[in-house]
Amino acid sequence: MERVDYLSDERKRAQFDVDAMKYVWAGSRHAFEVSDRISKLVASDPAFRKDDRTMLPRKELFKNTIRKATYAWKRIIELRLSEEEAAKLRFYVDEPAFTDLHWGMFIPAIKGQGTDEQHQKWLPFAYKMQIIGCYAQTELGHGSNVQGLETTATFNPKTDEFILHSPTLTSSKWWPGGLGKVSTHAVVYARLITDGKDHGVHGFIVQLRNLEDHTPLPGITLGDIGTKFGNGAYNTMDNGVLRFDHVRIPRDQMLMRVSQVTREGKYKQSDVPRQLVYGTMVYVRQTIVADASCALSRAVCIATRYSAVRRQFGSQNGGPENQVINYKTQQSRLFPLLASAYAFRFVGEWLKWLYTDVTQKLQANDFSTLPEVHACTAGLKSLTTSVTADGIEECRKLCGGHGYLCSSGLPELFTVYVPACTYEGDNIVLLLQVARFLMKTASQLGTGRQPVGTIAYMGRIERLMQCCSDVQNAEDWLKPSVVLEAFEARAARMSVACARNLSKFANPEEGFAELSADLVEAAIAHCQLIVVSKFIEKLQQDIPGKGVKKQLEMLCSVYYLFLLHKHQGDFIATSCITPKQASLANDQLRALYSQVRPNAIALVDAFNYTDHFLGSILGRYDGNVYPKLYEAAWKDPLNESDIPDGYHKYIRPLLKQQLRAARL
């Protein structure tokens, strides 16, 4: 039967080369070809079926996940996939599993913090998955405050061993993915104690389970922490609890690239600079930002396609009703999220470059940009994950009542994504770290130290404190120089205002706590400036393909004008723009929505997501939504019989009871 494309007319309206845009989204033609091939490989394999995931009981769901993960590894070996291809395959399987932490945290931790000898000993086993690892840092009582971790690793010079111990209930490791039921090993973070002295938190490679029968080793208590938010979603992952009861490990299982304990029990720093561990942090955070663009683009793809399929009101003379996507209220909520998906994609690309750059500098013992890089990556992790989590939920609302169905794909996408707002750093805590950096930068202005990188605009503080936008008409807001100056002035003035208020406190820490809400807002302004500037920089590159650059310019304008409209209170209060100029910006934004409209479907098609990966009836490529929704309803286990379990015991007696008049 020939497949009918209900969105074909929408696709014919595209004013640009969609294939060329796919290459831009993927990063290159090569990256697109790899992604396209692997996504289709996964979609065509029934072993990776996931449409029943939200209906499975937890134990069956978890068993199904470990089946898929091991089958995926089998296919990687059989097809001799490269590291890039293998990562794409795991991505398109689209199911949180123990392999995520093994490849994403365990191996990078050993590579970043282990010595060459430790690399040679552990990485061959890890790369072949002959051991399976996780990353055990967070505890029941401490997450963001890593220095407050309570697990101890006490060195015993008599036996040349560390003794790992969980001295309190709150010292239990809590949340590590893969820990609960699968991982055989972990990189465990504990307080290093030698000769009674606490040297702070360090990493240790610890075997958790017997490699023959998978039972926990003596002194180790392991388990899953329980069911989490949502159907399916992150319940495929065995987030675990871990306790140590005086567990001994050899001294050489401490990760010793940066600091070491000698055979005699002496603690010393190695010749390798401690700052090198920041490379791993930058890598992890750039991955999180890239994941944000993927998750947000999925939600936007579903909401955009369904908004073009769904019709409500506006019928003329018995004709079809109006497409929901034509309403300005829908466009004003949806199109900024579409623009944000592209913006996060490009800032994610830039972060990949930054990771390479900072790695090279660290290896050359150049640590000059580290504070700025730390603040930048912390802020972008916070900004992109918060916007994405909120954006997925907004897309669910944009799909109306049907968006609440699990078959829409949006409830599970939200529940599987939202932990990103707290793991690898709570988002508010991260913004406060950015704010500390901004306050330090502001305090050093005028000392001769020139701000660098994403904070370079602070070096022009005198001009930015005095300038005022010269926008005269709505079209002026399409000029990148005008926009950048407004965003730089806003960020600079908010930081300076916080610094001035902070200086009024005798105790800086008390002031920081009191002004923390204002400091978070200043950090957000700084991070939004970074994303806007990187989007504009992307547009200065040579971008091939008919009409592609014009579409990206349009999306860039939607992104920054939406932010300007949303935060116009900041821009006006800091005298960066006038109320009249804010109104002109909104006029231009509204006009841009009309220009995005004919290209909306093609812009989400450029993400090149298969129906399998989207996992959404509402977001189907062919737009054949209603018959498929009806068909899916009958697959629910509740519809296996007309008479539900419990009818004869509960409902029938209720219906057959002898009713008596109530006495009120």
Side-chain angles (χ1 to χ4, degrees):
M1 183 177 177
E2 187 178 350
R3 184 176 182 179
V4 178
D5 184 355
Y6 292 91
L7 293 171
S8 60
D9 288 344
E10 288 286 336
R11 294 187 168 100
K12 292 174 184 176
R13 301 174 67 182
Q15 299 164 337
F16 65 97
D17 183 339
V18 179
D19 286 337
M21 186 68 85
K22 289 179 180 179
Y23 304 152
V24 172
W25 174 262
S28 68
R29 182 164 188 158
H30 166 76
F32 165 77
E33 289 172 349
V34 170
S35 182
D36 184 60
R37 176 164 45 82
I38 299 298
S39 67
K40 289 174 179 175
L41 173 72
V42 172
S44 63
D45 193 330
F48 294 125
R49 176 192 171 193
K50 62 179 184 178
D51 59 317
D52 61 343
R53 189 164 58 197
T54 58
M55 295 182 278
L56 296 177
R58 177 84 197 281
K59 289 181 74 173
E60 189 177 342
L61 175 70
F62 181 68
K63 183 179 179 181
N64 198 39
T65 298
I66 59 177
R67 175 191 62 78
K68 286 184 187 178
T70 52
Y71 176 73
W73 177 247
K74 177 185 174 185
R75 295 297 289 150
I76 288 169
I77 300 300
E78 290 174 344
L79 297 171
R80 298 183 179 182
L81 299 185
S82 66
E83 190 173 334
E84 177 190 13
E85 293 168 328
K88 281 295 180 184
L89 187 139
R90 288 190 292 271
F91 172 76
Y92 282 116
V93 169
D94 186 40
E95 197 153 311
F98 62 90
T99 47
D100 298 352
L101 280 297
H102 177 80
W103 294 102
M105 296 295 289
F106 180 71
I107 289 176
I110 295 175
K111 289 172 67 176
Q113 299 169 39
T115 62
D116 291 341
E117 292 79 7
Q118 289 172 323
H119 291 173
Q120 292 166 12
K121 178 178 179 180
W122 296 101
L123 291 179
F125 293 111
Y127 283 134
K128 295 176 183 176
M129 295 204 75
Q130 292 172 336
I131 61 172
I132 298 170
C134 65
Y135 186 87
Q137 176 173 289
T138 299
E139 295 178 353
L140 187 58
H142 289 89
S144 297
N145 182 14
V146 175
Q147 297 309 313
L149 295 179
E150 299 175 84
T151 302
T152 57
T154 305
F155 183 65
N156 183 344
K158 293 180 181 179
T159 61
D160 197 26
E161 294 174 317
F162 287 105
I163 302 171
L164 274 80
H165 186 58
S166 305
T168 63
L169 178 68
T170 50
S171 69
S172 305
K173 294 300 179 184
W174 192 271
W175 275 115
L179 173 65
K181 295 296 174 183
V182 176
S183 293
T184 62
H185 291 69
V187 170
V188 175
Y189 288 85
R191 312 196 71 80
L192 171 61
I193 299 172
T194 63
D195 196 24
K197 184 177 181 181
D198 187 333
H199 299 281
V201 176
H202 291 68
F204 301 82
I205 302 173
V206 184
Q207 183 174 344
L208 306 174
R209 291 180 166 94
N210 187 302
L211 292 178
E212 295 301 322
D213 61 12
H214 208 60
T215 55
L217 295 181
I220 291 178
T221 300
L222 289 164
D224 185 273
I225 62 172
T227 304
K228 299 170 286 286
F229 184 28
N231 292 17
Y234 229 85
N235 289 301
T236 59
M237 181 75 81
D238 56 328
N239 296 92
V241 54
L242 164 65
R243 287 184 60 77
F244 295 104
D245 183 4
H246 299 92
V247 174
R248 294 173 178 269
I249 63 169
R251 178 174 56 88
D252 65 4
Q253 287 181 212
M254 170 185 168
L255 291 172
M256 294 194 187
R257 186 182 187 190
V258 173
S259 52
Q260 302 168 353
V261 173
T262 67
R263 175 64 185 87
E264 296 73 30
K266 182 180 179 181
Y267 178 80
K268 66 174 188 177
Q269 297 291 329
S270 72
D271 295 332
V272 177
R274 189 172 186 82
Q275 292 92 333
L276 279 178
V277 298
Y278 281 92
T280 303
M281 177 202 68
V282 175
Y283 170 78
V284 171
R285 287 180 178 167
Q286 66 94 6
T287 301
I288 292 174
V289 172
D291 288 345
S293 75
C294 292
L296 182 57
S297 59
R298 284 178 71 174
V300 167
C301 184
I302 293 167
T304 302
R305 286 177 178 170
Y306 181 61
S307 294
V309 169
R310 184 72 167 176
R311 292 176 178 270
Q312 293 290 291
F313 308 113
S315 173
Q316 299 292 327
N317 302 317
E321 295 174 271
N322 197 19
Q323 291 168 284
V324 170
I325 199 172
N326 290 334
Y327 291 106
K328 286 293 180 182
T329 48
Q330 193 82 350
Q331 294 175 8
S332 65
R333 295 160 66 197
L334 178 59
F335 293 167
L337 293 175
L338 172 61
S340 297
Y342 275 89
F344 294 170
R345 190 70 166 189
F346 300 143
V347 81
E349 285 181 1
W350 172 74
L351 279 179
K352 286 183 181 179
W353 170 85
L354 183 67
Y355 169 65
T356 302
D357 181 66
V358 77
T359 300
Q360 292 172 348
K361 287 180 178 176
L362 289 173
Q363 290 171 346
N365 288 338
D366 178 0
F367 310 124
S368 60
T369 61
L370 264 188
E372 184 258 336
V373 168
H374 177 268
C376 171
T377 55
L380 289 176
K381 182 274 178 185
S382 176
L383 178 73
T384 58
T385 55
S386 292
V387 170
T388 296
D390 293 343
I392 295 169
E393 170 62 4
E394 186 68 8
C395 285
R396 183 193 66 78
K397 295 174 185 175
L398 284 163
C399 291
H402 296 337
Y404 194 63
L405 284 168
C406 283
S407 58
S408 77
L410 292 166
E412 189 180 20
L413 179 58
F414 176 75
T415 52
V416 84
Y417 185 76
V418 76
C421 294
T422 44
Y423 64 57
E424 288 306 304
D426 175 87
N427 282 356
I428 296 300
V429 172
L430 291 178
L431 287 173
L432 289 171
Q433 291 177 10
V434 176
R436 284 191 182 277
F437 171 69
L438 292 173
M439 294 304 97
K440 185 175 181 180
T441 301
S443 69
Q444 294 173 342
L445 294 175
T447 64
R449 295 187 63 177
Q450 193 66 16
V452 297
T454 56
I455 202 73
Y457 67 95
M458 293 286 275
R460 303 187 296 276
I461 194 69
E462 291 185 8
R463 183 176 182 280
L464 291 174
M465 292 299 289
Q466 297 172 1
C467 71
C468 186
S469 177
D470 59 356
V471 167
Q472 301 295 320
N473 53 64
E475 289 75 21
D476 286 342
W477 281 118
L478 298 178
K479 300 174 182 176
S481 59
V482 170
V483 172
L484 278 177
E485 185 171 75
F487 273 81
E488 287 178 350
R490 169 213 182 198
R493 294 179 192 188
M494 290 178 73
S495 288
V496 168
C498 285
R500 286 173 177 168
N501 288 333
L502 199 57
S503 67
K504 298 174 184 176
F505 288 82
N507 185 323
E509 287 305 312
E510 287 182 7
F512 198 88
E514 181 66 25
L515 298 171
S516 57
D518 294 342
L519 289 162
V520 163
E521 293 301 318
I524 290 173
H526 171 67
C527 296
Q528 288 174 341
L529 166 61
I530 295 174
V531 181
V532 169
S533 65
K534 297 309 169 187
F535 205 151
I536 290 173
E537 283 180 18
K538 178 72 177 181
L539 297 175
Q540 294 169 352
Q541 299 175 10
D542 179 29
I543 301 175
K546 177 186 175 184
V548 170
K549 187 168 186 176
K550 182 178 179 181
Q551 294 302 313
L552 293 177
E553 289 172 342
M554 192 162 55
L555 289 173
C556 182
S557 298
V558 167
Y559 180 72
Y560 64 64
L561 288 177
F562 171 77
L563 290 180
L564 194 149
H565 177 66
K566 182 179 179 181
H567 299 280
Q568 61 181 300
D570 289 347
F571 286 91
I572 294 172
T574 53
S575 301
C576 298
I577 64 173
T578 65
K580 173 63 176 176
Q581 289 170 332
S583 179
L584 290 173
N586 195 39
D587 291 343
Q588 183 59 59
L589 179 60
R590 192 166 53 249
L592 285 168
Y593 291 152
S594 297
Q595 296 174 40
V596 172
R597 168 63 190 93
N599 298 285
I601 294 298
L603 285 167
V604 299
D605 283 351
F607 303 149
N608 201 45
Y609 294 145
T610 63
D611 283 347
H612 173 273
F613 180 66
L614 278 182
S616 169
I617 290 176
L618 302 189
R620 289 174 58 92
Y621 181 86
D622 62 9
N624 189 24
V625 171
Y626 298 126
K628 295 299 179 180
L629 273 181
Y630 187 82
E631 183 182 308
W634 295 106
K635 295 178 182 177
D636 191 282
L638 209 57
N639 286 325
E640 290 175 357
S641 64
D642 289 332
I643 300 173
D645 293 344
Y647 166 77
H648 291 287
K649 188 174 182 178
Y650 303 111
I651 302 300
R652 193 173 190 280
L654 178 69
L655 293 172
K656 297 299 181 182
Q657 67 181 325
Q658 296 295 317
L659 298 178
R660 298 180 181 179
R663 294 179 65 184
L664 302 178

